[in-house]
Amino acid sequence: MPAGTLHYMAPEVVKNPLKDHPDDFKNEVRYHYNVVVDSWAVGCLAYELLAGYPPFSANTQQQVVHNINNAEVQFGKRMSEDAIDFIKSALERQPHDRATTFELIKHPWVMQHMVSGLCDTTSTARD
């Protein structure tokens, strides 16, 4: 298994064998993945911030990997529909179906918070 935080790894990452060197397996197409693995990690982080635990948590690493590849994400009743949609679009198992980080930034759930003042350019960190 690749190095990193398991709970945030996309399905296409957890299938990779452990690398001893960053160039290991570079010529093997079956182990390639692209930037949407970052979208997956954003979806996991958003879920954990709202729920208090990772979306695919389990007692063992093997069960976490199984959950990443197979488990249905469970959403609490207190999560908004927009938050759920954001997370679901980031946690699409097929990379070509997964939202890009640019698409996530433009998601209504993010935009509503940007408009509500979280990105107010008139204030400073010292305010």
Side-chain angles (χ1 to χ4, degrees), residues 69-90:
N69 288 315
N70 302 294
E72 191 76 26
V73 178
Q74 301 299 310
F75 294 97
K77 294 177 183 176
R78 295 181 6 199
M79 280 193 204
S80 72
E81 290 300 317
D82 280 343
I84 291 170
D85 184 68
F86 176 89
I87 293 166
K88 282 183 175 181
S89 66

Side-chain angles (χ1 to χ4, degrees), residues 36-56:
V36 295
V37 299
D38 295 332
S39 299
W40 180 277
V42 168
C44 291
L45 179 60
Y47 183 96
E48 187 167 356
L49 288 170
L50 294 172
Y53 51 89
F56 304 105

Side-chain angles (χ1 to χ4, degrees), residues 12-13 15-17 19 23-34 95:
E12 63 271 27
V13 176
K15 75 174 185 175
N16 285 330
K19 294 181 177 186
D23 288 332
D24 289 351
F25 311 110
K26 289 287 186 190
N27 296 325
E28 295 189 43
V29 175
R30 64 187 169 151
Y31 297 129
H32 289 188
Y33 50 84
N34 63 27

